[in-house]
Amino acid sequence: MTKALLEKDGVNWRQKLPPIPAVPISAQTRWSVPSAGAPGASTPPTTAAPGGSDQTAADTERARTLKEEGNEFVKKGNHKKAVEKYSESLKLNEECATYTNRALCYLTLKQYKEAVQDCTEALRLDPKNVKALYRRAQALKELKDYKSGIADIKTLLKTEPKNTAALRLLQELNRA
């Protein structure tokens, strides 16, 4: 196609093309397709705030890609690189699972204060998130804040009373 245009209109063929029409935001959100992910985890269509950026859907998709890259680094055992990817993802889209994933990395890297902060952020987004409660309790145990760790595990056990890992951690916290 480029060759035909080049022969017909010369080297300036691009300048003769009509401008690309802009697609209204309302149409973009109507046509957005939920990304393939975990069952039931469809992303709601994003709309730009008045005076906001049209990049919200693109940002959400980029955040998802960065999170997946972080997940791959975790599988390879490279937690420092995973933290970088999760951090980039969170700048574009605050998501509970990304916070809990980064908290796991911080636990592995023995950065317990950072793990507590990420779990707290995850719990701000989802107050009953089991992973956030469990990982924060793990970090609090390492920081020797046993009372707060026990409180988190008790909250977790209200949601999942038979969670064996949580029951084990509760015993450890009570012994400490």
Side-chain angles (χ1 to χ4, degrees):
M1 184 68 164
T2 306
K3 187 176 178 183
L5 287 169
L6 191 60
E7 289 173 5
K8 182 179 177 245
D9 296 321
V11 291
N12 297 327
W13 66 270
R14 283 187 177 90
Q15 294 166 345
K16 295 179 182 178
L17 292 174
I20 298 171
V23 178
I25 299 291
S26 60
Q28 290 176 16
T29 57
R30 248 182 305 162
W31 297 330
S32 70
V33 179
S35 62
S42 64
T43 50
T46 54
T47 54
S53 169
D54 294 355
Q55 290 296 315
T56 53
D59 287 349
T60 303
E61 185 59 28
R62 177 73 180 133
R64 189 186 61 75
T65 302
L66 287 163
K67 178 181 151 191
E68 288 173 4
E69 289 173 14
N71 293 346
E72 289 304 314
F73 280 119
V74 169
K75 289 175 188 171
K76 294 176 185 173
N78 190 341
H79 294 91
K80 284 185 180 179
K81 269 287 198 200
V83 165
E84 291 173 19
K85 294 295 180 182
Y86 293 141
S87 298
E88 285 181 58
S89 176
L90 287 166
K91 287 178 189 172
L92 298 170
N93 184 32
E94 284 193 343
E95 187 186 57
C96 190
T98 310
Y99 278 116
T100 58
N101 290 358
R102 190 170 71 174
L104 173 68
C105 294
Y106 283 140
L107 284 168
T108 305
L109 297 168
K110 299 186 185 327
Q111 293 178 271
Y112 303 117
K113 288 181 182 175
E114 290 84 351
V116 168
Q117 289 172 349
D118 274 5
C119 291
T120 302
E121 284 300 309
L123 291 164
R124 179 180 58 81
L125 297 170
D126 177 7
K128 293 184 178 181
N129 186 286
V130 172
K131 283 184 182 180
L133 289 164
Y134 182 76
R135 290 177 183 165
R136 187 166 72 177
Q138 287 179 302
L140 290 166
K141 176 186 163 210
E142 296 301 326
L143 294 169
K144 300 191 184 336
D145 184 353
Y146 306 119
K147 187 177 178 182
S148 298
I150 290 169
D152 278 350
I153 292 298
K154 285 183 177 179
T155 303
L156 183 161
L157 290 170
K158 286 178 187 170
T159 306
E160 290 186 8
K162 295 180 181 173
N163 185 317
T164 54
L167 290 166
R168 218 175 304 122
L169 183 56
L170 181 60
Q171 287 178 339
E172 290 173 27
L173 286 162
N174 281 324
R175 281 194 300 257

